[in-house]
């Protein structure tokens, strides 16, 4: 909860709480449990974008681009095709290891994934960043909430997200819901 409290102070969540997620159904559809820190993010913020840069995926979003299930299926297909001719990142060469997307970077094709290894509890999953339009993968030995907080407060050790601090230079961090950016679903 400490990381979530720090994130909420840094980047206030929407005033209206996001829709309640049926975690049992969401995890059943994925065939795996999900990390507790991710559930806290989703329950606090819902689908939307942090600092016009990082889109959070949530189960059963009204928007396919923000839907955890839709993006998982799409990324699985894309990566399976990619790995027919490109080598998998080191962490994925272990039998049974896989990636699951949890966020993506606005306008770049880059995704943030969990690296899920066999026998690991979801709370032990770490973050992998894939630049999207290239073969580079960056591993971060932390969960999604800690990584997001580090990116927003400028302490993440990453080659990416430089524009957030070099170009946008936010003095106040903002979260915008998917409805606010993409239009109210169903209208």
């Amino acid at each position: 909860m400490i990381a979530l409290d720090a994130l909420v102070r840094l980047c206030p969540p929407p005033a209206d709480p996001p829709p309640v997620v049926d975690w049992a159904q969401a995890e059943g559809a994925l065939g795996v449990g999900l990390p507790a820190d991710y559930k806290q993010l989703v329950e606090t913020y819902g689908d939307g974008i942090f600092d016009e840069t990082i889109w959070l995926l949530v189960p059963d979003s009204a928007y396919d681009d923000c839907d955890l299930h839709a993006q998982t299926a799409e990324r699985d297909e894309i990566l399976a095709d990619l790995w027919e001719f490109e080598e998998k990142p080191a962490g994925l060469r272990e039998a049974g290891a896989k990636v699951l997307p949890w966020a993506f970077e606005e306008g770049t094709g880059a995704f943030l994934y969990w690296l899920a290894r066999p026998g690991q509890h979801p709370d032990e999953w770490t973050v992998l960043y894939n630049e999207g339009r290239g073969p580079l993968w960056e591993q971060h030995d932390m969960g999604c909430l800690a990584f997001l907080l580090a990116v927003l407060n400028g302490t993440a050790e990453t080659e990416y997200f430089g524009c957030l601090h070099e170009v946008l230079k936010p003095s106040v961090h903002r979260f915008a819901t998917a409805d606010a950016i993409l239009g109210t679903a169903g209208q």
Side-chain angles (χ1 to χ4, degrees):
M1 278 303 261
I2 294 170
L4 181 61
D5 292 341
L7 182 61
V8 166
R9 283 191 303 276
L10 183 68
C11 184
D16 294 328
V20 174
V21 173
D22 181 342
W23 290 111
Q25 187 277 332
E27 291 170 326
L30 290 170
V32 294
L34 292 167
D37 65 338
Y38 168 73
K39 292 176 183 179
Q40 292 172 339
L41 268 174
V42 169
E43 290 169 352
T44 304
Y45 290 92
D47 54 358
I49 187 168
F50 291 88
D51 283 351
E52 301 177 10
T53 304
I54 300 173
W55 283 93
L56 181 62
L57 303 177
V58 303
D60 302 317
S61 172
Y63 307 96
D64 282 349
D65 285 350
C66 298
D67 183 70
L68 179 66
H69 298 104
Q71 288 302 318
T72 297
E74 183 176 308
R75 301 313 304 165
D76 284 350
E77 184 178 316
I78 288 168
L79 292 174
D81 290 345
L82 177 70
W83 289 328
E84 287 184 18
F85 60 90
E86 273 190 25
E87 191 172 351
K88 287 183 177 182
L92 287 173
R93 293 185 205 128
E94 178 182 355
K98 64 180 180 177
V99 291
L100 290 163
W102 60 272
F104 67 92
E105 186 179 4
E106 172 69 20
T108 67
F111 271 79
L112 289 161
Y113 296 92
W114 290 292
L115 172 57
R117 291 188 163 118
Q120 257 188 342
H121 188 276
D123 292 343
E124 298 171 329
W125 293 351
T126 57
V127 172
L128 283 176
Y129 175 94
N130 176 242
E131 67 179 342
R133 293 187 176 99
L136 299 179
W137 290 77
E138 188 178 77
Q139 185 164 347
H140 299 275
D141 292 327
M142 62 183 72
C144 62
L145 179 54
F147 182 76
L148 179 60
L149 179 60
V151 167
L152 294 182
N153 71 20
T155 62
E157 293 181 19
T158 177
E159 295 296 318
Y160 304 97
F161 301 110
C163 73
L164 187 61
H165 298 283
E166 295 162 13
V167 177
L168 296 177
K169 299 178 185 175
S171 58
V172 175
H173 296 277
R174 300 190 195 303
F175 177 83
T177 65
D179 279 348
I181 300 297
L182 302 173
T184 303
Q187 288 188 359

